Amino acid sequence: MSDQPLTEGEIDLALSDLPGWSHANDRLERTWTFPGHLQALAAATGVGLLSERRDHHADLTVNYDKLRVSVTSHSAGDKVSAKDTDLARAVSDLLG
Ligand SMILES: C[C@H](O)[C@H](O)[C@H]1CNC2=NC(N)=NC(=O)C2=N1
């Protein structure tokens, strides 16, 4: 998969099929809310394992019952690449 930065148009097109995700500051981000802290931690572990399998890693922030997932491609000069839209889709498939 390409490490080239996507254009604004390509990112907008990808976001039209990624409900809940937003694009700002060269990142794609989405936040999930869970019944409690342990569920948020478990979700973060799931995303971590998924990222390891893909060798493309999301930045994860847990705040009590919330998990924020943020993706960008260091290899694309800290811009959004197809690796990020692909990872975002996989995270949405995992977390709903
Ligand atoms: C060597 C390894 O493939 C690279 O360092 C990977 C690992 N995970 C990564 N994750 C992210 N988000 N961006 C990268 O450029 C990246 N590069």
Side-chain angles (χ1 to χ4, degrees):
M1 189 167 299
S2 171
D3 282 353
Q4 290 301 306
L6 296 179
T7 64
E8 286 288 331
E10 289 169 332
I11 293 170
D12 286 346
L13 187 62
L15 282 180
S16 68
D17 196 32
L18 286 169
W21 289 86
S22 59
H23 174 222
N25 303 317
D26 293 317
R27 291 177 164 272
L28 302 181
E29 287 195 355
R30 182 173 167 184
T31 298
W32 278 262
T33 302
F34 296 93
H37 185 58
L38 290 181
Q39 290 90 342
L41 281 178
T45 300
V47 175
L49 293 171
L50 188 154
S51 297
E52 271 293 289
R53 276 203 303 275
R54 289 167 175 268
D55 195 25
H56 193 66
H57 300 86
D59 294 331
L60 305 173
T61 309
V62 174
N63 292 98
Y64 177 48
D65 61 349
K66 292 183 172 46
L67 170 64
R68 186 176 73 226
V69 180
S70 177
V71 294
T72 190
S73 291
H74 311 305
S75 55
D78 293 316
K79 305 276 185 200
V80 174
S81 77
K83 287 185 175 178
D84 299 307
T85 53
D86 191 62
L87 179 58
R89 200 160 290 118
V91 172
S92 283
D93 286 346
L94 180 71
L95 300 184

